[in-house]
Amino acid sequence: YDEVKVLLKEAFDAVDEDKSGTATLEEVKAFRTKLGLAWGADEEALFKVLDQDGSGSITFEEWITVILGTMLDSTTADDMSTKLEAMSSSEFDQLLADLDPKKLGM
């Protein structure tokens, strides 16, 4: 679980340009633009899903919950941790590969 969190933190930190600990809509748009990725209604909707508390920015905790929760079909940290521990090494390696920031669109 720690290795996965490190990869997610690296991706999050790349988006959080001002190092405030949150990623704003503008930071996410700017990062996607740097990667040559489009921004439209789908991406706007995804940001709203990530911004679970409606603050207008994404915290690292929101980032983990949505990104990893979606990948593992989990809704709680305990469930995510249990599922990660039950993975075979090849499944875990695939998850790490899937967490590549470019694959996440970040």
Side-chain angles (χ1 to χ4, degrees):
Y1 188 63
D2 290 336
E3 191 175 353
V4 172
K5 284 177 79 171
V6 167
L7 287 173
L8 286 171
K9 181 71 171 138
E10 288 174 3
F12 181 81
D13 287 346
V15 176
D16 180 18
E17 290 181 358
D18 65 3
K19 305 306 175 212
S20 65
T22 63
T24 65
L25 179 64
E26 292 76 25
E27 287 173 319
V28 174
K29 283 182 181 179
F31 191 78
R32 287 183 61 86
T33 299
K34 283 182 196 176
L35 293 177
L37 300 170
W39 185 268
D42 289 343
E43 290 76 20
E44 192 89 25
L46 176 60
F47 184 87
K48 289 178 182 179
V49 169
L50 289 169
D51 181 19
Q52 295 176 325
D53 65 3
S55 66
S57 61
I58 302 166
T59 65
F60 180 60
E61 290 75 25
E62 289 171 325
W63 180 266
I64 287 177
T65 300
V66 174
I67 299 294
L68 192 53
T70 299
M71 294 178 86
L72 296 175
D73 193 26
S74 300
T75 56
T76 67
D78 286 342
D79 188 41
M80 286 182 229
S81 184
T82 300
K83 286 185 176 181
L84 285 169
E85 289 171 8
M87 285 183 165
S88 68
S89 61
S90 62
E91 290 171 324
F92 189 73
D93 289 344
Q94 182 60 52
L95 176 66
L96 293 179
D98 290 342
L99 289 173
D100 181 309
K102 289 181 183 173
K103 282 189 176 182
L104 293 175
M106 296 309 203

